Amino acid sequence: MIEVRNLVKKYGDHVAVDHLNFTVEKGKIYGFLGPNGAGKSTTMNMITGYIGSTEGDILIDGHNILEEPEEAKKKIGYLPELPPLYQDMTAKEYLEFAAELKGIPREKREGNINGVMSTTKIQNVKNRLIKNLSKGYKQRVGLAQALLGYPEIIILDEPTVGLDPKQIIEIRDLIKSLGKNHTVILSSHILSEVSAVCDYVLIIDKGKLVASDSPENLSRIMSGANSLEMTVKGKEGEIRKALDLVENIEDVVYHNSIVPGACDFTIKISGQMDMRENIFFALAEAKCPILKMQSSNMSLEEVFLKLTDERKPAVRLTENDIFEDGIKEEGEE
Amino acid sequence: MLAVYKKELRSYLTSMIGYVFIAFILLILGIYFTAYNLQYASPDFGTTLSAVIFLFLIITPILTMRILSEEKKNKTDQLLLTAPVPVWKIVMGKYLSMLTIYLIPILITGCYPLIMGKYGTVSYATVYIAVFGFFLLGCAQIAVGLFLSSVTESQIIAAVITFAALFCSYVMDGISSFFSSTSAASFVTFLVISVLIALMVYQMTKDMVLSSILGVVLIAINIVLYIVRSSLYEGLIQKFLDLLSIANHYDSFVGGILDVSGIIYMLSVICIFVFLTIQCIQKRRWS
């Protein structure tokens, strides 16, 4: 569907995108992941033909974006980082303009506009001026514009920025439903979003592709061993003694627990065996009740941080803190 | 193209700019028309029009300043440039919408000679050729404004540089009288210009060989021409600067002459600047 070959973009001496190669297949949802300034938006701008590449080719369904721009652009709906809205138009006027610009035949236009307005739920604001709309509604009008004409490829640059949690969930569901009939590429720095929505993740750092796989595979590959988070009532020594009898346990790490009279442990298990039952019986025999037991693979955010910050441990700390705050909020919805 | 055209037209007519533009032309032209043609009873409408060409210094920037700079600033150009529409259609749609707005006061102005005709004899052919020339003159200056709006992101800067460019063009007669008209002076000036062209090419391409070859060739042509026919250089600066004075080419229309060279000049100015605008937008998509 989309083929990106050896893509390079330089701004003076600064290399924004550095020899990027990937292919996007039909009918899947792809997530672009990367820290700020990684080159996500630049790559998307190049795929949509907004800016030219310094080197390399982009083929949209076999059409080179620079050589046959009209053919290629017909297949793409694009929502840039900042929705390209004309402030002094109403939402309906704006969509009519965009539909005409995209060359949707006159007789289909009306139905098409109504269709995208109801999918993005902007029917009730269609006669209001865009400048008077809230950020969330502006974002939706931008999204409606990208969906006009139901192009085969839909490219969304940070589609959920500025939306409230309810809207975020709605938009995610919308993206998921789009993924059934369209190829969707979305960029985000919110990791839970990507792991919730995408079939395939491309992690970009400093203009280079550092990893590309499905979210499940990525966390499996990166974590190596699986591990368990546990809260157990009892003394540390007794629990450790009980756990010593269980096979396949590599390591037991003790943490202070917030529950009085209990201990928290992170237990690393070698191999892919499920040892939860064995641990349960071992602790039951020692009369140490298990208050919580949860298996944890390496989460996508850890994979992401590991991949993007391997070379710079100093930066990692600060970014880690920032991300962790964001993730907790995200996780609670 | 039609989508962009309609959108721009509507945006002019739903905001103040379009009305301010039309009202301002009609106000100034009305004052001059009353003073020259009604009060003074002159049947020569062409002179009235040529007296108000200073008008373009103010109204052209008003009309053109936001046309492309605003798109760039608000990032709405992302919608236009990622739509399956070639750049030239977008630019033409915008240019034609401006011409349509400009045509409204011109059509109203077209009624003025009819008023004069009620009270005396008016040579309609002469008058309407002058009006036609006036229209072309406006189109050419709007094309300049269009181009200058495409080089910057700020409306204010676009307005100021459009004003400056049109003002220089307007007072070009005065500027050209600063220069000596002897052939030696022209020769030296053109040598300097050759070097400047070579430097500009070097700035753009960073190719030392190409730009130095170009510079040397240009200088050699100048020297050969100067040695072979030095009379060619007499008053050449003035001729060259005259080309930059857009309003000068309106003069023959005033007298009622359908001046072909004038028409061709205006059309070339329009084509050059519209072309430059398209290139200016496309440049970023290729570099």
Side-chain angles (χ1 to χ4, degrees), chain B residues 50-89:
Chain B
S50 76
V52 295
I53 48 175
F54 70 88
L55 197 67
F56 288 112
L57 298 185
I58 303 153
I59 55 162
T60 315
I62 293 179
L63 190 68
T64 60
M65 63 180 186
R66 51 159 285 278
I67 194 83
L68 287 163
S69 57
E70 200 186 33
E71 300 263 7
K72 229 192 265 184
K73 185 156 197 167
N74 294 341
K75 303 258 182 200
T76 44
D77 58 342
Q78 282 190 309
L79 174 68
L80 297 180
L81 297 180
T82 56
V85 180
V87 175
W88 69 267
K89 279 191 176 170

Side-chain angles (χ1 to χ4, degrees), chain A residues 28 36 53 75 80 121 202 210 226 263 276 281 285 313:
Chain A
K28 276 191 181 172
N36 295 337
S53 54
K75 298 183 188 296
K121 300 199 175 69
L202 302 159
V210 286
N226 55 354
C263 307
R276 281 177 298 186
F281 288 123
E285 227 157 79

Side-chain angles (χ1 to χ4, degrees), chain B residues 195-215 283 287:
Chain B
V195 174
L196 285 180
I197 290 175
L199 282 178
M200 253 165 61
V201 170
Y202 177 66
Q203 258 308 314
M204 284 190 290
T205 60
K206 303 277 175 208
D207 188 340
M208 196 65 202
V209 182
L210 178 78
S211 48
S212 43
I213 288 174
L214 184 76
K283 175 189 78 184
S287 61

Side-chain angles (χ1 to χ4, degrees), chain A residues 40-207:
Chain A
K40 298 178 299 240
S41 294
T42 312
T43 310
M44 290 191 153
N45 278 337
M46 282 191 284
I47 293 175
T48 53
Y50 175 60
I51 50 175
S53 54
T54 313
E55 271 173 51
D57 295 308
I58 296 167
L59 299 180
I60 312 288
D61 223 3
H63 302 285
N64 190 316
I65 189 78
L66 291 178
E67 281 156 23
E68 299 168 278
E70 273 96 71
E71 279 302 311
K73 283 174 187 172
K74 251 182 211 164
K75 298 183 188 296
I76 301 179
Y78 182 35
L79 170 67
E81 211 169 359
L82 198 74
L85 304 172
Y86 292 101
Q87 305 292 331
D88 50 2
M89 282 175 145
T90 66
K92 182 122 199 282
E93 280 173 348
Y94 173 71
L95 290 178
E96 277 164 0
F97 165 65
E100 199 177 342
L101 192 70
K102 290 179 181 206
I104 298 167
R106 190 178 294 271
E107 61 276 7
K108 283 191 194 159
R109 239 177 260 162
E110 190 64 35
N112 211 315
I113 290 169
N114 285 330
V116 295
M117 282 201 295
S118 60
T119 23
T120 51
K121 300 199 175 69
I122 52 171
Q123 288 280 13
N124 50 338
V125 297
K126 68 178 178 187
N127 291 322
R128 282 171 58 186
L129 286 180
I130 290 177
K131 65 179 162 201
N132 297 332
L133 295 179
S134 69
K135 176 92 172 73
Y137 270 114
K138 282 183 186 164
Q139 190 75 22
R140 290 194 209 190
V141 175
L143 187 61
Q145 173 272 119
L147 300 182
L148 271 179
Y150 298 109
E152 292 167 50
I153 303 164
I154 295 169
I155 299 183
L156 310 168
D157 199 350
E158 308 205 347
T160 54
V161 165
L163 301 178
D164 64 40
K166 190 165 166 273
Q167 291 171 330
I168 290 182
I169 293 170
E170 281 174 15
I171 294 288
R172 279 185 198 162
D173 289 342
L174 175 62
I175 294 171
K176 269 189 202 165
S177 65
L178 285 174
K180 285 168 198 150
N181 302 314
H182 306 263
T183 307
V184 183
I185 304 180
L186 63 93
S187 82
S188 179
H189 54 257
I190 302 169
L191 303 126
S192 58
E193 180 167 291
V194 171
S195 53
V197 172
C198 300
D199 302 320
Y200 207 82
V201 183
L202 302 159
I203 299 181
I204 299 180
D205 185 38
K206 298 185 190 76

Side-chain angles (χ1 to χ4, degrees), chain A residues 11 20 62 85 94 107 142 162 175 180 196 217 239 260 263 294 304 319 325:
Chain A
Y11 292 109
L20 212 54
L85 304 172
Y94 173 71
E107 61 276 7
I175 294 171
K180 285 168 198 150
N217 277 351
I239 297 164
C263 307
Q294 188 179 23
F304 174 68
E319 271 194 3
D325 290 343

